[in-house]
Structures are given as C-alpha cells and as structure tokens.
Amino acid sequence: MIEAMVKAEGVHKRFGRLEVLKGISLEVGHGEVMCLIGPSGSGKSTLLRCVNHLEKINSGRLWVNGELVGYQESGNKLYELREPYIARRRAEIGMVFQRFNLFPHMTAIENVIEAPVHVKKTSKREAIARGHALLKRVGLPDKVDEYPARLSGGQQQRVAIARALAMDPHVMLFDEVTSALDPELVKEVLDVMRELAEEGMTMVVVTHEMGFAKDVASRVIFMDGGVVVEEGPPRDVLDHPREERTKRFLGLVLEH
C-alpha cells in the first residue's frame, strides 16, 4: 500500500532569481482533502502546477501514487522523461483551473470526451456514455450540447470538473476554482467538490473559501513566502492557529 497519494520532499522552484518554493515537504493521503491557504504570491498555485509537471521543479522530489512526476531516478540523479511519458502520467492527475480553459468551439460533451478519446483511446461511444453520466453528476444533464459561451461561469467550471473526472484521475487538483465566479455561483461549484470529497476522491485545493476548508478539508496547510508556516486539522489551523503569521492572515480574511 502506498502511504501517500501525493508526496513532496524538499521541493524548490525558482523563476529566474525569484525563489517561489523554498523546500516544501508534505504528504496527502489516499482519500484526503488538503486545502492550501495563504496570501497571493505564497507559492500555493506554483506548488499545484509542479504536482502535475506544468512547472518543472529545480530540486527535491515529487511523487503521485508512488511514481515520480516528470522524472525517473537513476543513481540518485533525476532525468526528465520524454513528453509522451509525461503526458501519460499527467493524464492520471486531474486539474481544474481558475479560468475554465474549456475549448470554446466544442460543446460541453465534446469538451468532456476530448481527452479520453484522444489520450486514452477510449471508444467514442463509451466516452459519450461516460460523458453524459459525468455531466449529470455535476448537475448539468440538460447542458450536454451547449457551447461554453452559453453557460454561466459556474456551469463552465462544473463542465471543467467533469472533463477532469473523465480521465479517472488518482487525484484532483483545484486551483482557486471559485475566484473568477460571481458569489452566487460559488456554491454550485463547491457543492460538487464536497460530493467528490464524500466519495473519497483525493483532492488538493488552493482556496480562499475558509468555510469550505473548515467543512471539507482533512488538513489545512498555510503557506507564506514559499514555505509551509503551519499545518494541521482545520479546527487547529483555522480556529486556533499557533503562528502569528497565520493569525494575521486569518484575521484579514475572516473580516471580509
């Protein structure tokens, strides 16, 4: 049994001279929901993008489901895998972005079946049947043939979640998926994420939604300046933070 679904060990990431991640180590267990909170620029989204190798780390190790992400190790040295292998690994890691990133020229169902058909070589018939089931699961059975431009932001984000689920990922990464939405549309997206959590999906969620973190997270990590400042169960970190920096951040966030 692999102990952790996601494991980071001493992960560093620089953009030029700017060090964004300064030796991050953490583990996300199977079926766990980890919420990453912290101010803008603290490295949360960068860490998420490193987990599926959209960003390459400068040093350290990152594993998903027991396998190194983007690299293979030989004699204690890391060698980057070729793109087809990276794509295959990335297919096992679902990611939903702040901006919905749907293909505008494709309907909801076409967006959902695109990757299973072209990456996994699923038959179109099978992909369509599963796509219908997934769109129903996210509450959009009647929007199958709509184009993104005709959907609200919340509906587009739910199509994006269905699209990520269509690849049967080991883990789902959510990068501030409600921050571009009107307040009244936030709940419909968070409700889908709550259901996924209840079904045992492993999730890493970058969020400013403290209520969601308190209700749904197994663990909360507070990041600032590229390091983990504090981590623990939501009631500890959010209700009784130990670190001054965490207290200051939560004081500002919870006032709004």
Side-chain angles (χ1 to χ4, degrees), residues 21 46 69 91 94 127 129 134 137 159 166 204 223 232:
L21 299 176
T46 299
V69 177
L134 286 168
R137 184 177 176 186
V159 173
V204 185
M223 285 178 65

Side-chain angles (χ1 to χ4, degrees), residues 70-110:
Y71 300 93
Q72 63 183 26
E73 193 163 9
S74 177
N76 216 21
K77 278 195 76 172
L78 288 186
Y79 297 91
E80 190 171 17
L81 295 169
R82 296 211 312 277
E83 195 52 49
Y85 294 102
I86 293 171
R88 205 170 301 156
R89 294 288 290 119
R90 195 178 280 140
E92 298 168 354
I93 305 167
M95 183 148 186
V96 186
F97 300 86
Q98 182 177 348
R99 297 283 167 194
F100 325 119
N101 289 15
L102 297 177
F103 296 114
H105 61 290
M106 291 184 181
T107 62
I109 191 77
E110 288 168 344

